[in-house]
Amino acid sequence: MSNSTKYIFVTGGVASSLGKGIISASLAKLLQARGYSTTIQKLDPYINIDPGTLNPYEHGECYVTDDGAETDLDLGHYERFLNVPTSQANNVTTGRIYQSVIEKERRGEFLGKTVQVIPHITNEIKERIQILGNKGTYDIVITEIGGTVGDIESLPYVEAVRQMKWEFEDDCIVIHLTLVPYLAAAGELKTKPTQHSVKQLLELGVQPDVLCCRTEHKLNFDLRKKIAKFCNVNMNAVIEARDASTIYDVPLLMQDEGLDKVVLDKLGLPTTGSPELTVWKEFLTRLKNPTSEITIGLVGKYVELKDSYKSISESLIHAGAANLTKVNVKWIHSDKLTTENCNEELNELNGILVAPGFGSRGISGKIEAVRFARENKVPFFGICLGMQCAVIEFGRNVLGLKDAHTSEIIEDCKDPVIDMMEEQKNISNLGGTMRLGAYKCQLTPKSNIHKAYNEDLISERHRHRYEFNDEYLAQYEEKGMKATGKNPETGLVEVVEIEEHPWFVGAQFHPEYKSTVANPHPLFVAFVKASLNK
Ligand code: GLN
């Protein structure tokens, strides 16, 4: 559409957690809906190579792409909004930048020069930004800079943005997201933090082109004028970003504010017509007009921090809309679930979802939840560790293998029904030992999972080290737990189901990473549907 790729940078000021990811995804949606092929990238200023080894308490969910990158959860929003897969190149951390520069230094690529933050680190950052632009696939690349302007660790990124703005004058703009707080005592919205935040950017040589102002109240004409005047931006480039009842309203709110128009205008792209958002609006209509309501119990060990299960809760929202059903989630601490309180905690639920996870904490509660769902014929959906718990529970309570366990928790257990894959055994470095990314799975006709997808061969994303132990498969199948999905190349069991149960599906893969507004995930849709029938 345009001759050269356009770059939009999104920075944040005043406070963290203002929702740069949602603003970026919403803008991308509007641009995509106007026919521009758009992608979003997140630059994270921490030193971990990727968030794969980060505790979810620190950083929320680790999102996984088709190509097996362990990434920031914002990439999940990008995919859910755009319905286009992201990849390794869409998430870069300071750790990865430094790793790459240091490797180049070791190879002698800098020809004896002193290796410095400027230009070597900033060049590496600029290269990473342009990798997506140079692909030729995208008209527009939106790059979200993690953290808050003024943080020490963000400095090289802001400097890279400054250089790119200088080098690609007509093809780059900066959107700065700030907070306009409401002071109840004064009964006023305050613009000073925004002014200061923009000053801070200016000190670093970056003039923002657009300001998105998070606010709980309306930004009136005078306030907009004041912000525009003190921050050197046009009045129409002061965008009000009010709190929304659902994140899926934000693209439409941003359209009302004219964010897409002002951005296109500044990039020199035509602004005629309006975004084609029929599918999006249909989704919102379904979401907001449910005809029934259910409660799903989400059993996990990080439930205090709901961001740890972001993709799962969003998938349930998509599946709810598809079923015209309001899905309430009851967050259940697997740590606190016991044989004694199971009935009380899980009794009223329409469906039970046992979440993924690592390590021993909370695993016995998860196994109890599986038992409850199996015995009481409550629709059950186990994801990754949740599926493994279903296998352990069935082994112990149906096959009578009292010591059935996963060798992740008890390495030399008597009945390792979940065990380390042979090819993983020799890898000891925690950073890179997992089966990650998309793998194919062959489904058994007439199974519940086959009915859900209505396909024989699917592809889903993985993130795990342990697997169903094939040596036990015959015993399981004989007693009614069937392997209804297998990897067609390796034969690894990917899905288990209990025949004599209305809906009991355990999946080794993570379907939640692939649910989008345009394509609510069929397994979640089927799970919600089964739960509706309960
Ligand atoms: N800890 C389990 C494994 O590594 C499950 C991982 C997960 O739930 N993502 O196999």
Side-chain angles (χ1 to χ4, degrees), residues 356-358 384-385 388 408 463-466 510:
F358 292 82
C384 210
L385 183 63
Q388 299 177 349
E408 176 179 4
R463 182 177 185 241
H464 62 115
R465 293 191 180 83
Y466 298 85
H510 291 262

Side-chain angles (χ1 to χ4, degrees), residues 50-344:
D50 61 42
T53 53
L54 276 175
N55 184 326
Y57 283 129
E58 295 275 321
H59 205 67
E61 162 187 286
C62 171
Y63 185 79
V64 179
T65 58
D66 275 333
D67 65 351
E70 297 180 282
T71 73
D72 185 77
L73 60 79
D74 273 340
L75 272 77
H77 292 308
Y78 307 161
E79 289 203 14
R80 288 187 281 274
F81 277 53
L82 295 182
N83 198 36
V84 176
T86 53
S87 68
Q88 182 78 68
N90 292 74
N91 191 197
V92 181
T93 67
T94 293
R96 200 174 286 280
I97 299 277
Y98 271 81
Q99 185 186 44
S100 166
V101 170
I102 290 167
E103 279 167 4
K104 286 179 186 167
E105 185 272 337
R106 291 289 86 183
R107 287 197 299 268
E109 286 184 28
F110 299 118
L111 307 174
K113 288 269 183 220
T114 310
V115 181
Q116 293 176 299
V117 173
I118 301 171
H120 301 98
I121 295 297
T122 47
N123 282 350
E124 183 76 26
I125 295 172
K126 288 195 291 178
E127 243 171 66
R128 298 287 179 143
I129 294 167
Q130 289 170 80
I131 283 179
L132 288 166
N134 293 342
K135 272 185 165 180
T137 344
Y138 302 111
D139 304 314
I140 300 171
V141 176
I142 300 180
T143 299
E144 179 192 341
I145 314 281
T148 308
V149 166
D151 296 348
I152 290 176
E153 52 260 52
S154 306
L155 286 172
Y157 293 98
V158 179
E159 170 59 15
V161 170
R162 186 195 67 75
Q163 292 181 19
M164 277 193 69
K165 262 201 115 179
W166 177 249
E167 290 162 30
F168 302 84
E169 213 184 337
D170 301 326
D171 295 327
C172 274
I173 64 162
V174 173
I175 300 177
H176 190 52
L177 177 63
T178 73
L179 178 69
V180 179
Y182 178 75
L183 281 197
E188 271 180 344
L189 287 170
K190 290 294 182 189
T191 66
K192 196 71 83 189
T194 296
Q195 296 179 39
H196 280 303
S197 176
V198 171
K199 289 238 164 67
Q200 206 151 22
L201 259 183
L202 285 168
E203 273 171 29
L204 302 172
V206 174
Q207 165 67 55
D209 301 277
V210 178
L211 293 177
C212 281
C213 306
R214 276 302 296 274
T215 163
E216 290 170 31
H217 298 275
K218 196 171 166 45
L219 276 188
N220 63 27
F221 181 86
D222 288 343
L223 280 172
R224 287 180 195 243
K225 201 166 145 195
K226 190 170 172 187
I227 294 172
K229 191 167 154 187
F230 283 110
C231 302
N232 324 321
V233 298
N234 306 332
M235 271 278 278
N236 71 343
V238 179
I239 303 289
E240 170 188 303
R242 283 277 279 284
D243 296 350
S245 60
T246 151
I247 54 170
Y248 300 110
D249 271 338
V250 179
L252 301 178
L253 294 174
M254 289 302 105
Q255 190 190 357
D256 289 346
E257 282 288 302
L259 176 62
D260 52 333
K261 281 205 168 150
V262 76
V263 160
L264 290 172
D265 208 32
K266 289 193 184 292
L267 289 171
L269 297 171
T271 59
T272 41
S274 54
E276 214 295 287
L277 289 164
T278 318
V279 173
W280 192 271
K281 287 179 183 165
E282 273 169 17
F283 165 79
L284 277 174
T285 307
R286 298 179 76 85
L287 181 68
K288 291 180 177 178
N289 298 286
T291 53
S292 45
E293 186 167 347
I294 57 168
T295 302
I296 300 290
L298 198 159
V299 185
K301 67 171 170 175
Y302 299 112
V303 291
E304 320 78 322
L305 188 73
K306 307 204 165 29
D307 270 0
S308 309
Y309 303 110
K310 196 78 208 159
S311 293
I312 293 178
S313 54
E314 296 304 320
S315 301
L316 288 171
I317 292 174
H318 305 157
N323 281 291
L324 283 175
T325 301
K326 180 173 193 305
V327 179
N328 304 307
V329 175
K330 180 176 176 189
W331 301 86
I332 298 165
H333 227 301
S334 51
D335 264 7
K336 298 185 181 140
L337 214 52
T338 60
T339 319
E340 290 71 42
N341 68 11
C342 229
N343 198 36
E344 190 188 325

Side-chain angles (χ1 to χ4, degrees), residues 464-531:
H464 62 115
R465 293 191 180 83
Y466 298 85
E467 295 281 352
F468 184 101
N469 185 344
D470 222 27
E471 286 172 25
Y472 291 86
L473 185 58
Q475 279 187 67
Y476 273 81
E477 296 218 309
E478 196 196 325
K479 290 279 194 235
M481 180 175 266
K482 300 270 153 100
T484 55
K486 282 187 185 174
N487 181 305
E489 276 124 45
T490 57
L492 287 172
V493 173
E494 307 279 29
V495 185
V496 294
E497 288 187 37
I498 295 179
E499 264 183 331
E500 296 299 311
H501 189 289
W503 208 91
F504 187 106
V505 176
Q508 186 60 78
F509 49 74
H510 291 262
E512 71 274 22
Y513 293 140
K514 281 183 51 170
S515 187
T516 70
V517 165
N519 273 319
H521 196 286
L523 254 187
F524 280 88
V525 174
F527 173 54
V528 167
K529 196 165 171 210
S531 304

Side-chain angles (χ1 to χ4, degrees), residues 342-343 346-347 352 368-379 501-502 534:
C342 229
N343 198 36
L346 309 177
N347 206 7
I352 294 175
E368 279 306 315
V370 177
R371 183 188 54 74
F372 183 90
R374 181 179 58 77
E375 289 178 351
N376 296 288
K377 304 236 186 291
V378 183
H501 189 289
K534 201 229 154 207

